[in-house]
Protein backbone atom coordinates (compact mmCIF):
# COMPACT_ATOMS: atom_id res chain seq x y z
CA UNK A 1 0.00 0.00 0.00
CA UNK A 2 2.76 2.44 0.96
CA UNK A 3 4.73 1.45 -2.12
CA UNK A 4 1.76 2.16 -4.38
CA UNK A 5 0.73 5.46 -2.79
CA UNK A 6 4.17 7.04 -2.55
CA UNK A 7 5.75 5.28 -5.52
CA UNK A 8 8.62 4.06 -3.35
CA UNK A 9 9.86 1.30 -5.68
CA UNK A 10 9.42 3.58 -8.67
CA UNK A 11 11.90 5.99 -7.09
CA UNK A 12 14.37 3.21 -6.32
CA UNK A 13 13.79 3.35 -2.57
CA UNK A 14 12.40 1.10 0.18
CA UNK A 15 10.12 1.67 3.16
CA UNK A 16 13.08 1.10 5.51
CA UNK A 17 15.17 3.68 3.68
CA UNK A 18 12.33 6.22 3.74
CA UNK A 19 11.84 5.72 7.49
CA UNK A 20 15.56 6.11 8.20
CA UNK A 21 15.62 9.20 5.98
CA UNK A 22 12.70 10.68 7.92
CA UNK A 23 14.41 10.06 11.25
CA UNK A 24 17.62 11.62 9.89
CA UNK A 25 15.84 14.76 8.69
CA UNK A 26 13.95 15.03 11.99
CA UNK A 27 17.07 14.77 14.13
CA UNK A 28 18.86 17.48 12.15
CA UNK A 29 15.98 19.98 12.37
CA UNK A 30 14.26 19.21 15.68
CA UNK A 31 16.32 21.97 17.33
CA UNK A 32 13.68 24.40 16.00
CA UNK A 33 11.18 23.10 18.58
CA UNK A 34 13.33 24.66 21.32
CA UNK A 35 15.23 27.41 19.52
CA UNK A 36 12.10 29.01 18.07
CA UNK A 37 10.36 29.42 21.46
CA UNK A 38 13.61 30.76 22.95
CA UNK A 39 13.79 33.49 20.26
CA UNK A 40 10.11 34.42 20.15
CA UNK A 41 9.68 34.37 23.93
CA UNK A 42 12.19 37.23 23.92
CA UNK A 43 9.59 39.15 21.89
CA UNK A 44 6.92 38.45 24.51
CA UNK A 45 5.24 35.36 23.07
CA UNK A 46 4.82 32.78 25.88
CA UNK A 47 7.37 29.96 25.57
CA UNK A 48 4.78 27.17 25.84
CA UNK A 49 2.58 28.82 23.23
CA UNK A 50 5.45 28.99 20.72
CA UNK A 51 6.49 25.42 21.56
CA UNK A 52 3.07 24.09 20.59
CA UNK A 53 2.69 26.48 17.63
CA UNK A 54 6.05 25.36 16.24
CA UNK A 55 5.03 21.69 16.36
CA UNK A 56 1.56 22.36 14.94
CA UNK A 57 2.98 24.37 12.03
CA UNK A 58 5.67 21.74 11.34
CA UNK A 59 3.19 18.84 11.40
CA UNK A 60 0.69 20.71 9.21
CA UNK A 61 3.14 21.80 6.53
CA UNK A 62 5.16 18.58 6.48
CA UNK A 63 2.08 16.35 6.23
CA UNK A 64 0.78 18.36 3.28
CA UNK A 65 4.20 18.09 1.67
CA UNK A 66 4.36 14.33 2.28
CA UNK A 67 0.79 13.12 1.75
CA UNK A 68 -0.28 15.37 -1.12
CA UNK A 69 2.83 16.74 -2.83
CA UNK A 70 4.73 13.50 -2.03
CA UNK A 71 8.11 15.17 -1.62
CA UNK A 72 10.72 14.26 1.06
CA UNK A 73 10.74 17.87 2.23
CA UNK A 74 10.00 18.99 5.80
CA UNK A 75 8.40 22.33 6.71
CA UNK A 76 8.68 24.27 9.99
CA UNK A 77 8.98 27.86 11.27
CA UNK A 78 12.12 29.30 9.69
CA UNK A 79 15.28 30.49 11.35
CA UNK A 80 16.04 34.10 10.46
CA UNK A 81 12.35 34.82 10.03
CA UNK A 82 11.87 34.33 13.78
CA UNK A 83 14.74 36.73 14.50
CA UNK A 84 13.20 39.24 12.10
CA UNK A 85 9.88 38.83 13.92
CA UNK A 86 11.54 39.52 17.29
CA UNK A 87 13.39 42.50 15.80
CA UNK A 88 10.16 44.11 14.57
CA UNK A 89 8.60 43.79 18.03
CA UNK A 90 11.70 45.26 19.66
CA UNK A 91 12.37 48.16 17.25
CA UNK A 92 8.88 49.29 16.30
CA UNK A 93 7.24 49.16 19.70
CA UNK A 94 4.55 46.73 18.56
CA UNK A 95 2.89 43.93 20.50
CA UNK A 96 3.65 40.38 19.42
CA UNK A 97 -0.07 39.95 18.70
CA UNK A 98 0.13 42.70 16.05
CA UNK A 99 3.19 41.18 14.38
CA UNK A 100 1.50 37.76 14.44
CA UNK A 101 -1.37 39.47 12.63
CA UNK A 102 1.08 40.61 9.94
CA UNK A 103 2.40 37.05 9.60
CA UNK A 104 -1.18 35.77 9.29
CA UNK A 105 -1.92 38.29 6.51
CA UNK A 106 1.29 37.31 4.73
CA UNK A 107 0.25 33.66 5.07
CA UNK A 108 -3.14 34.28 3.48
CA UNK A 109 -1.49 36.11 0.57
CA UNK A 110 1.01 33.25 0.39
CA UNK A 111 -1.82 30.73 -0.02
CA UNK A 112 -3.39 32.82 -2.80
CA UNK A 113 -0.07 32.98 -4.65
CA UNK A 114 0.44 29.25 -4.15
CA UNK A 115 -2.85 28.26 -5.76
CA UNK A 116 -2.19 30.65 -8.63
CA UNK A 117 0.38 29.97 -11.32
CA UNK A 118 2.85 32.64 -10.14
CA UNK A 119 5.15 30.44 -8.07
CA UNK A 120 5.16 27.77 -10.78
CA UNK A 121 6.04 30.46 -13.34
CA UNK A 122 8.90 31.66 -11.15
CA UNK A 123 10.39 28.17 -10.90
CA UNK A 124 10.17 27.58 -14.65
CA UNK A 125 11.61 31.04 -15.38
CA UNK A 126 14.66 30.62 -13.14
CA UNK A 127 17.68 29.86 -15.37
CA UNK A 128 19.73 26.71 -14.69
CA UNK A 129 22.78 28.63 -13.49
CA UNK A 130 20.77 30.21 -10.68
CA UNK A 131 19.18 26.87 -9.75
CA UNK A 132 22.61 25.21 -9.52
CA UNK A 133 23.96 28.22 -7.65
CA UNK A 134 21.15 27.99 -5.11
CA UNK A 135 21.71 24.26 -4.56
CA UNK A 136 25.47 24.67 -4.16
CA UNK A 137 25.10 27.80 -2.04
CA UNK A 138 22.77 26.04 0.35
CA UNK A 139 25.24 23.15 0.51
CA UNK A 140 28.06 25.51 1.50
CA UNK A 141 25.74 27.28 3.93
CA UNK A 142 24.72 24.16 5.84
CA UNK A 143 28.28 22.81 5.84
CA UNK A 144 29.39 26.12 7.35
CA UNK A 145 26.64 25.74 9.98
CA UNK A 146 27.97 22.28 10.78
CA UNK A 147 31.52 23.58 11.23
CA UNK A 148 30.23 26.43 13.40
CA UNK A 149 27.97 24.27 15.57
CA UNK A 150 30.78 21.77 16.16
CA UNK A 151 33.23 24.47 17.21
CA UNK A 152 35.66 23.54 14.43
CA UNK A 153 35.22 27.11 13.18
CA UNK A 154 34.65 30.02 15.56
CA UNK A 155 34.12 33.78 15.29
CA UNK A 156 37.25 35.89 15.21
CA UNK A 157 37.37 39.66 15.56
CA UNK A 158 40.18 40.26 13.06
CA UNK A 159 39.53 37.51 10.50
CA UNK A 160 35.77 37.01 11.09
CA UNK A 161 36.21 33.23 11.34
CA UNK A 162 39.10 31.08 12.53
CA UNK A 163 39.93 27.53 13.58
CA UNK A 164 38.37 26.69 16.95
CA UNK A 165 39.76 24.77 19.91
CA UNK A 166 40.05 21.22 18.56
CA UNK A 167 40.50 19.88 22.09
CA UNK A 168 37.11 21.15 23.33
CA UNK A 169 34.85 18.19 24.26
CA UNK A 170 32.02 19.02 21.84
CA UNK A 171 34.50 19.64 19.01
CA UNK A 172 36.34 16.37 19.70
CA UNK A 173 33.04 14.44 19.69
CA UNK A 174 32.01 16.23 16.46
CA UNK A 175 35.26 15.22 14.76
CA UNK A 176 34.92 11.63 16.01
CA UNK A 177 31.29 11.56 14.80
CA UNK A 178 32.35 12.99 11.43
CA UNK A 179 35.08 10.35 11.05
CA UNK A 180 32.70 7.51 11.97
CA UNK A 181 30.02 8.73 9.55
CA UNK A 182 32.55 9.20 6.74
CA UNK A 183 33.74 5.63 7.20
CA UNK A 184 30.14 4.38 7.10
CA UNK A 185 29.52 6.44 3.95
CA UNK A 186 32.62 5.18 2.17
CA UNK A 187 31.75 1.61 3.13
CA UNK A 188 28.26 2.24 1.63
CA UNK A 189 26.42 1.26 4.80
CA UNK A 190 22.68 1.77 4.31
CA UNK A 191 21.44 4.48 6.66
CA UNK A 192 25.02 5.69 7.24
CA UNK A 193 23.98 9.21 8.27
CA UNK A 194 21.44 7.94 10.79
CA UNK A 195 23.77 5.35 12.28
CA UNK A 196 26.54 7.94 12.43
CA UNK A 197 24.30 10.14 14.59
CA UNK A 198 23.24 7.17 16.72
CA UNK A 199 26.83 6.08 17.43
CA UNK A 200 27.85 9.67 18.17
CA UNK A 201 24.93 10.03 20.61
CA UNK A 202 25.91 6.80 22.40
CA UNK A 203 29.52 8.00 22.76
CA UNK A 204 28.25 11.36 24.01
CA UNK A 205 26.04 9.63 26.59
CA UNK A 206 28.85 7.49 28.01
CA UNK A 207 31.18 10.51 28.07
CA UNK A 208 28.68 12.43 30.17
CA UNK A 209 27.90 14.96 27.44
CA UNK A 210 24.36 13.75 26.78
CA UNK A 211 22.10 13.85 29.81
CA UNK A 212 18.40 13.17 30.05
CA UNK A 213 16.22 14.98 32.60
CA UNK A 214 13.31 12.58 32.32
CA UNK A 215 11.80 11.12 29.20
CA UNK A 216 8.15 12.15 28.89
CA UNK A 217 6.02 15.18 29.75
CA UNK A 218 2.47 16.32 29.06
CA UNK A 219 2.30 18.96 26.31
CA UNK A 220 1.00 22.46 27.19
CA UNK A 221 -2.40 23.51 25.86
CA UNK A 222 -2.20 25.33 22.49
CA UNK A 223 -3.42 28.94 22.22
CA UNK A 224 -5.46 29.81 19.14
CA UNK A 225 -5.79 33.15 17.32
CA UNK A 226 -3.90 35.25 19.85
CA UNK A 227 -3.26 37.94 17.24
CA UNK A 228 -4.29 41.50 16.41
CA UNK A 229 -5.40 41.93 12.79
CA UNK A 230 -6.79 45.43 13.37
CA UNK A 231 -3.38 46.54 14.67
CA UNK A 232 -1.76 45.48 11.40
CA UNK A 233 -3.77 48.03 9.44
CA UNK A 234 -3.85 50.77 12.09
CA UNK A 235 -0.04 50.62 12.24
CA UNK A 236 0.31 50.37 8.45
CA UNK A 237 2.46 47.25 8.53
CA UNK A 238 2.26 46.70 4.77
CA UNK A 239 6.03 46.74 4.32
CA UNK A 240 6.35 44.15 7.09
CA UNK A 241 3.78 41.90 5.39
CA UNK A 242 5.61 42.31 2.07
CA UNK A 243 8.97 41.49 3.67
CA UNK A 244 7.62 38.35 5.35
CA UNK A 245 5.97 37.30 2.10
CA UNK A 246 8.94 37.95 -0.18
CA UNK A 247 11.57 36.35 2.05
CA UNK A 248 9.39 33.30 2.73
CA UNK A 249 8.52 32.75 -0.94
CA UNK A 250 12.09 32.76 -2.17
CA UNK A 251 13.65 31.12 0.88
CA UNK A 252 11.29 28.15 0.69
CA UNK A 253 11.16 27.98 -3.13
CA UNK A 254 14.95 27.98 -3.29
CA UNK A 255 15.14 25.20 -0.70
CA UNK A 256 12.50 23.11 -2.50
CA UNK A 257 14.40 23.44 -5.76
CA UNK A 258 17.71 22.55 -4.13
CA UNK A 259 16.41 19.48 -2.29
CA UNK A 260 14.41 18.29 -5.31
CA UNK A 261 17.42 18.75 -7.59
CA UNK A 262 19.54 16.78 -5.12
CA UNK A 263 16.96 13.97 -5.06
CA UNK A 264 16.62 13.94 -8.85
CA UNK A 265 12.93 14.82 -8.66
CA UNK A 266 12.92 17.77 -11.08
CA UNK A 267 11.63 16.86 -14.54
CA UNK A 268 13.37 18.86 -17.28
CA UNK A 269 13.84 21.72 -14.83
CA UNK A 270 10.16 21.64 -13.85
CA UNK A 271 8.70 20.95 -10.44
CA UNK A 272 5.91 18.31 -10.59
CA UNK A 273 2.93 18.74 -8.22
CA UNK A 274 4.16 22.26 -7.56
CA UNK A 275 0.91 23.76 -6.28
CA UNK A 276 0.44 20.99 -3.71
CA UNK A 277 4.00 21.49 -2.51
CA UNK A 278 3.54 25.25 -2.30
CA UNK A 279 0.44 24.82 -0.15
CA UNK A 280 2.58 23.06 2.45
CA UNK A 281 4.61 26.09 3.48
CA UNK A 282 1.86 28.66 2.86
CA UNK A 283 -0.77 26.85 4.95
CA UNK A 284 1.84 26.12 7.65
CA UNK A 285 2.66 29.85 7.81
CA UNK A 286 -1.02 30.79 8.21
CA UNK A 287 -1.80 28.04 10.74
CA UNK A 288 1.43 28.78 12.63
CA UNK A 289 0.54 32.47 12.94
CA UNK A 290 -2.92 31.55 14.24
CA UNK A 291 -1.30 29.51 17.03
CA UNK A 292 1.60 31.89 17.74
CA UNK A 293 4.74 31.54 15.64
CA UNK A 294 6.66 33.22 12.81
CA UNK A 295 6.47 32.15 9.12
CA UNK A 296 7.21 28.58 8.09
CA UNK A 297 9.51 27.49 5.31
CA UNK A 298 10.83 24.35 3.64
CA UNK A 299 13.81 23.17 5.67
CA UNK A 300 17.24 22.87 4.13
CA UNK A 301 17.90 20.03 6.59
CA UNK A 302 15.58 17.96 4.38
CA UNK A 303 18.68 17.42 2.27
CA UNK A 304 20.07 15.17 5.03
CA UNK A 305 17.11 12.83 4.55
CA UNK A 306 17.60 12.88 0.79
CA UNK A 307 21.28 12.08 1.31
CA UNK A 308 20.14 9.14 3.47
CA UNK A 309 18.08 7.85 0.53
CA UNK A 310 14.69 9.52 1.03
CA UNK A 311 12.93 10.07 -2.29
CA UNK A 312 9.19 10.16 -1.51
CA UNK A 313 6.57 11.76 0.68
CA UNK A 314 6.87 8.92 3.20
CA UNK A 315 10.07 10.56 4.46
CA UNK A 316 8.11 13.74 5.20
CA UNK A 317 5.26 11.81 6.85
CA UNK A 318 7.78 10.17 9.21
CA UNK A 319 9.18 13.62 10.07
CA UNK A 320 5.67 14.93 10.80
CA UNK A 321 4.91 11.91 13.00
CA UNK A 322 8.10 12.42 14.99
CA UNK A 323 7.29 16.11 15.50
CA UNK A 324 3.90 15.05 16.85
CA UNK A 325 5.54 12.61 19.28
CA UNK A 326 7.88 15.40 20.37
CA UNK A 327 4.99 16.95 22.28
CA UNK A 328 5.22 14.07 24.75
CA UNK A 329 8.99 13.42 24.71
CA UNK A 330 10.31 16.94 24.94
CA UNK A 331 12.98 16.10 27.61
CA UNK A 332 14.60 13.51 25.31
CA UNK A 333 14.44 15.67 22.20
CA UNK A 334 15.72 18.66 24.17
CA UNK A 335 18.74 16.66 25.33
CA UNK A 336 19.59 15.44 21.80
CA UNK A 337 19.15 18.86 20.21
CA UNK A 338 21.32 20.47 22.90
CA UNK A 339 24.38 18.45 21.80
CA UNK A 340 25.41 19.82 18.37
CA UNK A 341 28.08 17.15 17.92
CA UNK A 342 25.31 14.70 16.99
CA UNK A 343 24.02 16.63 13.97
CA UNK A 344 26.96 18.86 12.95
CA UNK A 345 28.85 16.08 11.10
CA UNK A 346 25.72 15.31 9.05
CA UNK A 347 25.39 18.94 7.94
CA UNK A 348 29.03 18.97 6.83
CA UNK A 349 28.69 15.77 4.79
CA UNK A 350 25.39 16.79 3.18
CA UNK A 351 26.97 20.12 2.24
CA UNK A 352 29.45 18.14 0.18
CA UNK A 353 26.64 16.26 -1.61
CA UNK A 354 24.94 19.50 -2.59
CA UNK A 355 28.02 20.94 -4.29
CA UNK A 356 27.54 18.56 -7.23
CA UNK A 357 25.71 21.25 -9.21
CA UNK A 358 28.94 23.25 -9.53
CA UNK A 359 29.99 21.00 -12.41
CA UNK A 360 26.85 21.96 -14.34
CA UNK A 361 27.43 25.72 -14.24
CA UNK A 362 28.70 27.27 -17.49
CA UNK A 363 31.84 28.79 -15.94
CA UNK A 364 33.42 30.06 -19.21
CA UNK A 365 30.37 32.32 -19.70
CA UNK A 366 30.91 35.11 -17.18
CA UNK A 367 27.32 36.39 -17.25
CA UNK A 368 26.25 32.86 -16.24
CA UNK A 369 29.10 32.20 -13.85
CA UNK A 370 29.08 35.35 -11.70
CA UNK A 371 25.42 35.19 -10.55
CA UNK A 372 25.99 31.57 -9.46
CA UNK A 373 29.25 32.57 -7.75
CA UNK A 374 27.68 35.45 -5.82
CA UNK A 375 24.81 33.20 -4.64
CA UNK A 376 27.24 30.53 -3.45
CA UNK A 377 29.47 33.05 -1.68
CA UNK A 378 26.79 35.19 -0.04
CA UNK A 379 24.60 32.48 1.49
CA UNK A 380 27.12 31.32 4.12
CA UNK A 381 28.62 34.79 4.62
CA UNK A 382 25.25 36.45 5.29
CA UNK A 383 23.69 33.40 6.99
CA UNK A 384 20.69 33.89 4.72
CA UNK A 385 19.43 31.75 1.86
CA UNK A 386 17.07 34.47 0.68
CA UNK A 387 19.87 37.07 0.54
CA UNK A 388 21.91 34.80 -1.71
CA UNK A 389 18.89 34.27 -3.95
CA UNK A 390 18.32 38.03 -4.08
CA UNK A 391 21.90 38.67 -5.22
CA UNK A 392 21.46 36.09 -7.96
CA UNK A 393 18.19 37.59 -9.17
CA UNK A 394 19.71 41.08 -9.24
CA UNK A 395 23.00 40.28 -10.97
CA UNK A 396 21.78 37.74 -13.55
CA UNK A 397 19.42 39.99 -15.57
CA UNK A 398 21.79 42.95 -15.21
CA UNK A 399 24.78 41.07 -16.65
CA UNK A 400 22.67 39.48 -19.39
CA UNK A 401 21.35 42.91 -20.36
CA UNK A 402 24.74 44.58 -20.67
CA UNK A 403 26.25 41.56 -22.45
CA UNK A 404 23.63 41.80 -25.18
CA UNK A 405 21.74 38.68 -24.08
CA UNK A 406 18.91 40.48 -22.35
CA UNK A 407 16.23 39.00 -24.62
CA UNK A 408 17.09 35.51 -23.37
CA UNK A 409 16.00 36.44 -19.84
CA UNK A 410 12.39 35.74 -18.85
CA UNK A 411 10.53 39.01 -18.06
CA UNK A 412 9.61 37.72 -14.60
CA UNK A 413 13.33 37.58 -13.69
CA UNK A 414 13.64 41.32 -14.48
CA UNK A 415 10.59 42.06 -12.35
CA UNK A 416 11.86 40.16 -9.35
CA UNK A 417 15.35 41.55 -9.80
CA UNK A 418 13.91 45.04 -9.30
CA UNK A 419 11.71 43.89 -6.40
CA UNK A 420 14.67 42.28 -4.65
CA UNK A 421 16.79 45.40 -5.14
CA UNK A 422 14.08 47.60 -3.61
CA UNK A 423 13.47 45.12 -0.79
CA UNK A 424 17.15 44.88 0.14
CA UNK A 425 17.63 48.65 0.16
CA UNK A 426 14.43 49.77 1.87
CA UNK A 427 13.01 46.70 3.66
CA UNK A 428 15.96 44.55 4.75
CA UNK A 429 14.75 41.42 6.54
CA UNK A 430 17.94 40.55 8.43
Amino acid sequence: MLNNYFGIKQHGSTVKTEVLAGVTTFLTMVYIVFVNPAILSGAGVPFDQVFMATIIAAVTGTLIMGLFAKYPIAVAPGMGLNAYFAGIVATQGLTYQTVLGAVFCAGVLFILLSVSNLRQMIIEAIPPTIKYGITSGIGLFIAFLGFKQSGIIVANESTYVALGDLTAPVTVLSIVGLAITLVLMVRRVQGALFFGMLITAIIGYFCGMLKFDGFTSLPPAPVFFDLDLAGVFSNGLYAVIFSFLLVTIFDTTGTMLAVSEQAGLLKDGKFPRAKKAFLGDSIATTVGAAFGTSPSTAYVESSTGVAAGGRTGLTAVIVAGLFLITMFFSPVVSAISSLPAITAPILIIVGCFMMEGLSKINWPSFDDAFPAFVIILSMPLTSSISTGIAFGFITYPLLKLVSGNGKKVHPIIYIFGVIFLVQMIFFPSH
Side-chain angles (χ1 to χ4, degrees), residues 170 173 200-201 203-205 209-210 334-344:
V170 171
L173 181 59
T200 306
I203 295 172
Y205 178 78
M209 300 169 66
L210 184 61
S334 178
I336 292 173
S337 63
S338 67
L339 183 58
I342 297 174
T343 55

Side-chain angles (χ1 to χ4, degrees), residues 21-102:
V23 174
T24 301
T25 296
F26 172 76
L27 290 176
T28 55
M29 67 178 286
V30 68
Y31 66 86
I32 194 63
V33 172
F34 301 96
V35 174
N36 198 45
I39 292 174
L40 294 188
S41 61
V45 193
F47 187 96
D48 285 348
Q49 180 178 347
V50 187
F51 175 78
M52 290 301 293
T54 301
I55 292 175
I56 291 169
V59 171
T60 300
T62 307
L63 276 181
I64 292 172
M65 192 69 73
L67 290 175
F68 301 104
K70 300 180 183 178
Y71 280 102
I73 299 173
V75 175
M79 289 295 294
L81 288 162
N82 48 15
Y84 178 47
F85 181 104
I88 293 172
V89 174
T91 59
Q92 298 193 24
L94 300 167
T95 65
Y96 73 82
Q97 289 94 340
T98 301
V99 184
L100 281 176

Side-chain angles (χ1 to χ4, degrees), residues 312-390:
T312 75
L314 181 57
T315 294
V317 172
I318 296 299
V319 175
L322 291 172
F323 267 113
L324 203 57
I325 294 172
T326 301
M327 291 184 186
F328 302 94
F329 290 90
S330 59
V332 175
V333 177
S334 178
I336 292 173
S337 63
S338 67
L339 183 58
I342 297 174
T343 55
I346 310 305
L347 296 178
I348 295 169
I349 291 171
V350 171
C352 173
F353 286 138
M354 298 188 72
M355 302 301 286
E356 183 183 356
L358 287 174
S359 64
K360 302 175 183 178
I361 295 170
N362 185 15
W363 292 107
S365 174
F366 188 75
D367 53 1
D368 275 331
F370 186 81
F373 166 76
V374 77
I375 292 171
I376 295 165
L377 184 68
S378 58
M379 281 187 185
L381 294 184
T382 63
S383 296
S384 170
I385 293 171
S386 57
T387 298
I389 292 172

Side-chain angles (χ1 to χ4, degrees), residues 284-296:
T285 292
T286 310
V287 170
F291 282 94
T293 186
S294 47
S296 293

